[in-house]
């Protein structure tokens, strides 16, 4: 149970050592030859190795992701990815391929007329991302 607690604490937060965000984990097993815990040095706890499979989200520059638009304004479009992570597409990135319509509060593609509006699913490319205290924020560009 203590190992599960440790794994649950890792979920939905950017993990620097893994380079990703764990979303879920599977059944845990003990590796052969390491079925027992051990005390390392003078540390006051028992170390136990476990094997499990993780489902992770690994944001990478240039990756195409899909999210739901949560806010549209003349300065940006806010998007929620996997119903968990915030992304933002700023005016500078939008102006390259879209035009803002204040009457409908939408951004419209110059190329094909597709509108970006609240509640819509949109595909975008990750242009940058940062994390602080496990919280991920992405910046994007429309394809």
């Amino acid at each position: 149970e203590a190992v599960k607690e440790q794994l649950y604490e890792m979920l939905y937060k950017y993990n620097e050592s893994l380079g990703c965000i764990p979303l879920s984990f599977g059944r845990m097993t003990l590796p052969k030859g390491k079925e027992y815990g051990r005390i390392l040095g003078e540390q006051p706890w028992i170390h136990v190795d476990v094997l499990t499979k993780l489902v992770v989200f690994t944001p990478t520059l240039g990756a195409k992701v899909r999210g739901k638009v949560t806010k549209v304004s003349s300065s940006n479009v806010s998007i929620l990815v996997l119903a968990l992570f915030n992304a933002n597409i700023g005016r500078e990135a939008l102006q390259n391929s879209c035009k803002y319509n204040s009457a409908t509060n939408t951004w419209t593609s110059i190329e094909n007329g597709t509108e970006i509006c609240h509640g819509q699913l949109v595909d975008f490319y990750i242009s940058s991302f940062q994390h602080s205290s496990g919280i991920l924020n992405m910046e994007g560009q429309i394809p």
Side-chain angles (χ1 to χ4, degrees):
E1 289 303 310
V3 174
K4 277 187 183 179
E5 282 182 35
Q6 291 295 311
L7 287 170
Y8 280 127
E9 285 182 26
M10 291 174 59
L11 296 181
Y12 312 119
K13 299 176 200 159
Y14 191 87
N15 185 298
E16 191 76 43
S17 63
L18 296 175
C20 63
I21 301 165
L23 302 176
S24 68
F25 59 90
R27 188 174 71 88
M28 294 179 291
T29 59
L30 299 173
K32 286 194 177 204
K34 294 187 177 182
E35 291 87 359
Y36 302 100
R38 55 199 187 285
I39 297 173
L40 299 178
E42 295 181 19
Q43 295 178 345
W45 50 81
I46 298 172
H47 291 262
V48 178
D49 291 337
V50 296
L51 298 173
T52 188
K53 290 186 179 183
L54 293 173
V55 174
V56 300
F57 175 62
T58 308
T60 54
L61 296 179
K64 185 177 181 181
V65 293
R66 176 172 285 174
K68 187 173 186 176
V69 176
T70 58
K71 181 183 175 194
V72 177
S73 73
S74 61
S75 62
N76 73 312
V77 172
S78 296
I79 301 168
L80 197 57
V81 177
L82 297 173
L84 294 169
F85 309 112
N86 291 315
N88 185 60
I89 303 175
R91 177 186 308 164
E92 297 78 25
L94 288 163
Q95 285 178 333
N96 294 334
S97 60
C98 299
K99 184 174 180 174
Y100 181 70
N101 182 334
S102 59
T104 59
N105 193 33
T106 59
W107 284 88
T108 305
S109 170
I110 296 168
E111 183 179 307
N112 60 22
T114 303
E115 289 187 339
I116 299 173
C117 58
H118 184 273
Q120 178 183 8
L121 289 176
V122 295
D123 293 331
F124 68 96
Y125 292 99
I126 299 173
S127 57
S128 70
F129 68 91
Q130 54 277 339
H131 53 88
S132 177
S133 301
I135 306 299
L136 174 71
N137 188 46
M138 295 174 279
E139 295 288 327
Q141 293 186 328
I142 296 293

